[in-house]
Amino acid sequence: MSTAAPRPAAQDRLWTVDEHLEDILATVQPLEPIELQLPDAQGCVLVEDVTVPVSLPPFDNSSMDGYAVRVADVAGASEDFPAALEVVGDVAAGQAAELLHVGPGQAARIMTGAPLPPGAETVVPVEWTDGGLGEGPVDGMRARSLAPEQATGHVRVYRPAEARAHVREKGSDVKAGDRALEAGTVLGPPQIALLAAIGRGTVRVRPRPRVVVLSTGSELVPPGEELRSGQIYDSNSFALTAAARDAGAIAYRVGAVADDADTLRSTIEDQLVRADLVVTTGGVSVGAYDVVKEALAHVGDEDEAGSGIEFRRLAMQPGKPQGFGSIGPDHTPLLALPGNPVSSYVSFELFARPAIRTLMGLQDVHRPTTRATLTTDKALTSPQGRRQFLRAAYAEGTVRPVGGAGSHLVAALAHADALIVVPEDVESVEPGAEVEVVLLG
């Protein structure tokens, strides 16, 4: 992370959503590239183009079990008048093709993936032959015909084959010198497969960011334990850990921290050794027990320019209270999100997810957006001067609200796959109006 520039006094004004996000993205920098083994590179972003060193496939090979033959030798072959050819040997996958040569009137038994031997021009599937058994067409390579002593003899072919039929040509997938993958590509299973196929054992990437997620609140209890009076289950740390992984990060969930500033501060400091980003939830409002503000508002070191966490009021609903800055000797970025479940999740999608994607080195860091027709029984209301984000379900160009506007309604969140965005200067949206939609799925 780069050294943060001095910021305006956060408490002195109401920040817009865009201002807060711009400040985050201007501060968070992509992680330094490293060389990783292929199994460890999954989910990472390439930092350089990858060029193909060897063509795929690297040689002409058979796509069928059958016989490698010359086209002229099977021209006009039929069940009534089969072509009888001398079998000169076997070609198996992994075997050098030069060990055999197919001449006029000859055939070589060939397996799928085996190199086409010199002299052969095409491959006849075994089902078009008698398999060397002399008993009419077969439905596959029989165990008897695969025995070493059956590698020679004669085979009857009952159908003609065109030149290069059932042959995978050298370079038909990619050719040597081609660009296999572009810088900026996220490495998923197909990309890992391609890298392995062209012989790359390692690749230079930006690593997946390590994100530490912790929630605060003495009332929080881990799922599975018994609730006592005044307690609730900790859902935020589980939701945000899952969201961080969905964004591409390696996420570590820390158990809920009680409302004690010293405990929270030491917990965060202990976690910095494995964090490229810290995300907290809860304790950022104006209550007497808003422990995150108490613990982090003055952590800046005067010898470390740019460190420290600022707490801000944003012109948005849900998610008005927010915190952002850096902590520790490496200026690890920290996002302090509200504690209400919906506020926490919406804030993560708007601010933490783009930060994670920026750390990864991606160019497009935002969720996709679209325009959709609002389907609802009555007009939506929105507070003047705030950008509202409403949970919604999107389908085929239409969008409908899910649940109410309360920031504690977790059940409604579980059924939403989009957010309806109501601009700051709009206080009412009528049914049938076109609205902006952030797609979450």
Side-chain angles (χ1 to χ4, degrees):
M1 175 174 174
S2 65
T3 301
R7 305 181 182 94
Q11 295 82 2
D12 295 343
R13 66 184 179 93
L14 194 65
W15 290 61
T16 68
V17 172
D18 295 335
E19 287 173 336
H20 185 59
L21 179 59
E22 287 170 5
D23 187 35
I24 293 170
L25 298 186
T27 305
V28 174
Q29 298 296 315
L31 298 176
E32 289 298 315
I34 59 175
E35 193 82 12
L36 288 179
Q37 298 286 332
L38 288 191
D40 300 322
Q42 182 174 352
C44 297
V45 178
L46 277 176
V47 296
E48 58 191 10
D49 292 348
V50 174
T51 302
V52 179
V54 59
S55 296
L56 290 181
F59 48 81
D60 293 347
N61 69 89
S62 178
S63 66
M64 304 283 288
D65 291 339
Y67 290 86
V69 301
R70 295 159 62 95
V71 172
D73 290 336
V74 295
S78 67
E79 291 198 22
D80 291 333
F81 300 100
L85 304 176
E86 177 190 3
V87 179
V88 294
D90 277 355
V91 187
Q95 178 180 328
E98 293 79 10
L99 298 178
L100 280 180
H101 185 277
V102 176
Q106 294 180 334
R109 195 170 52 162
I110 192 167
M111 310 308 157
T112 302
L116 193 69
E121 300 168 331
T122 189
V123 172
V124 176
V126 67
E127 294 86 355
W128 297 4
T129 76
D130 67 354
L133 303 178
E135 299 174 358
V138 296
D139 56 8
M141 288 287 190
R142 305 281 180 90
R144 177 181 168 191
S145 68
L146 288 175
E149 61 270 18
Q150 295 294 325
T152 59
H154 290 81
V155 64
R156 289 183 174 84
V157 179
Y158 300 107
R159 291 176 60 178
E162 297 179 355
R164 314 298 289 175
H166 311 112
V167 174
R168 301 167 178 152
E169 295 194 10
K170 176 181 178 180
S172 56
D173 190 355
V174 289
K175 292 180 173 60
D178 287 351
R179 183 169 57 185
L181 296 171
E182 295 181 353
T185 300
V186 179
L187 298 181
Q191 291 77 31
I192 296 291
L194 175 56
L195 290 167
I198 63 175
R200 288 290 295 264
T202 64
V203 67
R204 191 163 178 77
V205 297
R206 296 192 191 277
R208 294 169 61 195
R210 300 165 301 163
V211 177
V212 170
V213 176
L214 60 88
S215 53
T216 63
S218 298
E219 77 280 11
L220 299 178
V221 176
E225 294 189 9
E226 181 180 355
L227 287 180
R228 296 180 181 178
S229 177
Q231 294 181 327
I232 61 173
Y233 287 121
D234 172 21
S235 65
N236 283 357
S237 66
F238 288 90
L240 300 192
T241 300
R245 289 173 180 158
D246 181 71
I250 298 171
Y252 303 103
R253 190 191 70 84
V254 180
V257 180
D259 290 321
D260 179 80
D262 291 336
T263 300
L264 175 61
R265 195 158 40 237
S266 63
T267 300
I268 292 176
E269 289 172 353
D270 288 344
Q271 293 296 321
L272 293 179
V273 68
R274 63 172 181 174
D276 298 306
L277 173 69
V278 176
V279 178
T280 68
T281 172
V284 296
S285 191
V286 293
Y289 295 97
D290 287 326
V291 66
V292 175
K293 290 182 69 173
E294 181 183 352
L296 301 181
H298 305 291
V299 297
D301 189 328
E302 62 182 10
D303 297 326
E304 296 177 6
S307 65
I309 310 299
E310 289 183 350
F311 293 90
R312 304 165 176 172
R313 297 176 302 118
L314 267 62
M316 64 179 286
Q317 186 185 56
K320 182 178 180 180
Q322 301 281 338
F324 171 64
S326 68
I327 187 170
D330 296 325
H331 300 292
T332 303
L334 184 146
L335 286 166
L337 309 182
N340 281 317
V342 176
S343 301
S344 175
Y345 179 72
V346 170
S347 298
F348 185 96
E349 286 291 336
L350 295 179
F351 308 123
R353 182 183 174 92
I356 290 171
R357 308 288 279 181
T358 298
L359 287 167
M360 293 175 67
L362 291 167
Q363 296 299 312
D364 186 4
V365 300
H366 303 287
R367 289 284 196 184
T369 61
T370 189
R371 306 289 295 182
T373 301
L374 177 65
T375 59
T376 181
D377 295 332
K378 59 181 181 179
L380 300 180
T381 59
S382 184
Q384 198 277 333
R386 293 197 196 179
R387 187 179 305 181
Q388 188 174 41
F389 298 88
L390 297 170
R391 289 145 293 169
Y394 173 82
E396 300 179 352
T398 64
V399 65
R400 60 178 178 82
V402 175
S407 58
H408 64 293
L409 303 176
V410 184
L413 184 62
H415 297 284
D417 61 5
L419 296 173
I420 297 172
V421 183
V422 183
E424 291 87 339
D425 59 351
V426 175
E427 297 182 55
S428 179
V429 183
E430 297 295 326
E434 187 180 73
V435 293
E436 181 185 356
V437 177
V438 178
L439 302 177
L440 302 179

